[in-house]
Amino acid sequence: MRWQKTPEGFLKLNCDASFIQESKIGSWGFLIRDHDGDVVMSGRGRINNVLSAFHAELIACLQGVQVASSLGIGKLILETDALNIQLAMQSQSFDVRPEGGLIEEIKSFSRINFNEFVCNFLGRTGNRAAHVLASLGYGCIEGQALITSAIPDDVFVIVSDDLSGE
């Protein structure tokens, strides 16, 4: 499934993460786009001492929703290629996992800061831009995330491709 534009009034947050099991190092990336698909903000960073790929994905989502909130966004669609994230956001069955506190933080933060919030699963094909940003996150220093309205050239190509497919 390809990336698709949002309904009028919504912005879309695509998140992704990467995780290296042997070193317990991860990275995250996100991209916020407006109704027309134009990039509003992007971010990426590195995480040391990560529990799992799921943990890294949750951190990517939290980073993204926090930035979206700081922009004053009222209606947000979060898209992730991690099905467990969507399931965790829609149920309480993941709350007992070690990452449960982080799940509850995202749920609570979203309820408080957005008028409307939806979390959807989207396959890797539709989440390519966030995937590339997550890969670039390994180049960051932990704790020094790169949050900007600009995007790297290789991400720009993906965003342009997404929009031409509409």
Side-chain angles (χ1 to χ4, degrees):
M1 205 171 155
R2 293 181 61 92
W3 185 91
Q4 295 182 3
K5 292 182 180 183
T6 65
E8 191 72 41
F10 280 84
L11 271 74
K12 187 175 286 188
L13 166 65
N14 288 88
C15 298
D16 201 7
S18 180
F19 174 65
I20 302 171
Q21 175 70 38
E22 300 76 31
S23 62
K24 302 289 188 195
I25 294 174
S27 63
W28 54 268
F30 70 80
L31 194 67
I32 300 172
R33 300 189 214 187
D34 66 14
H35 168 72
D36 293 321
D38 295 324
V39 175
V40 174
M41 195 68 63
S42 69
R44 62 184 182 261
R46 178 186 173 115
I47 325 152
N48 296 336
N49 305 310
V50 182
L51 298 173
S52 62
F54 181 62
H55 185 207
E57 294 281 356
L58 286 167
I59 291 171
C61 292
L62 181 60
Q63 293 287 339
V65 295
Q66 287 175 334
V67 170
S69 173
S70 73
L71 295 172
I73 294 169
K75 298 178 181 181
L76 185 68
I77 298 171
L78 166 63
E79 286 187 338
T80 173
D81 59 13
L83 182 58
N84 280 347
I85 297 295
Q86 181 191 31
L87 296 173
M89 295 300 293
Q90 296 175 348
S91 73
Q92 295 178 341
S93 61
F94 287 78
D95 294 355
V96 296
R97 291 183 59 149
E99 303 92 344
L102 193 52
I103 295 166
E104 185 50 41
E105 183 176 354
I106 296 169
K107 287 179 182 179
S108 177
F109 190 87
S110 299
R111 279 191 304 268
I112 292 168
N113 291 285
F114 302 106
N115 298 327
E116 294 184 50
F117 178 83
V118 179
C119 180
N120 294 327
F121 170 75
L122 178 68
R124 171 79 45 98
T125 304
N127 210 35
R128 295 178 304 150
H131 178 74
V132 171
L133 285 165
S135 297
L136 294 171
Y138 283 114
C140 296
I141 297 170
E142 184 182 36
Q144 295 182 359
L146 179 58
I147 311 292
T148 179
S149 59
I151 54 174
D153 289 342
D154 45 350
V155 176
F156 179 80
V157 169
I158 294 168
V159 169
S160 297
D161 182 53
D162 285 345
L163 296 178
S164 69
E166 287 291 315

